[in-house]
Amino acid sequence: QVQLVESGGGLVQAGGSLRLSCTASGLTFRQYEFGWFRQAPRTERQFVAAITFSGGNEYYANSVRGRFTISRDNPKNTVYLQMNSLKPEDTAVYYCAARHMSETASYNDNTSYDKWGQGTQVTVSS
């Protein structure tokens, strides 16, 4: 079955960096687009970034553009989220999500992703 496994979360001071990884199995990786979403306590799940199946296009939430970078390594079946200049408001559980390349909905639409990881906690201290 399909599995998305996130790793790389942790505790970091404001201004620091983390790199999240999402390794996928059970699917044809190159045919899938991937997104990162996050959810803080008592808030809705929020779009962070997405990357197309070819890796040729990236999309970012305004709140992270210029600080976060999404990338993919198809031979390793892995998607990354490099997070720099972290702020306390970036604190959340970060989820990796996948959708088939035939999906046409907006990249920030979390309902268009049908495969999700279990999440990894990112905590940024002030």
Side-chain angles (χ1 to χ4, degrees):
Q1 72 277 22
V2 175
Q3 276 195 310
L4 303 180
V5 180
E6 301 102 331
S7 61
L11 174 63
V12 64
Q13 287 190 329
S17 298
L18 284 174
R19 188 177 79 157
L20 305 184
S21 300
C22 170
T23 300
S25 60
L27 52 73
T28 305
F29 188 83
R30 65 183 183 276
Q31 294 182 355
Y32 279 77
E33 303 179 318
F34 289 84
W36 286 97
F37 293 78
R38 66 187 182 187
Q39 188 167 19
R42 299 174 296 282
T43 68
E44 293 188 352
R45 195 163 293 189
Q46 178 187 52
F47 170 75
V48 176
I51 189 164
T52 56
F53 68 95
S54 66
N57 291 94
E58 303 162 22
Y59 302 87
Y60 297 95
N62 288 337
S63 59
V64 306
R65 186 175 290 112
R67 299 188 298 123
F68 290 10
T69 303
I70 189 171
S71 62
R72 63 189 294 159
D73 186 336
N74 283 1
K76 294 184 177 180
N77 281 15
T78 300
V79 178
Y80 303 99
L81 185 68
Q82 177 67 44
M83 305 186 296
N84 299 329
S85 302
L86 282 161
K87 305 175 181 181
E89 51 263 44
D90 294 318
T91 295
V93 177
Y94 283 70
Y95 296 91
C96 174
R99 67 183 203 180
H100 193 263
M101 64 182 186
S102 60
E103 176 62 62
T104 59
S106 175
Y107 287 98
N108 62 358
D109 179 358
N110 64 359
T111 66
S112 69
Y113 295 80
D114 58 342
K115 299 168 183 26
W116 291 83
Q118 80 290 349
T120 185
Q121 176 71 46
V122 171
T123 303
V124 184
S125 63
S126 57

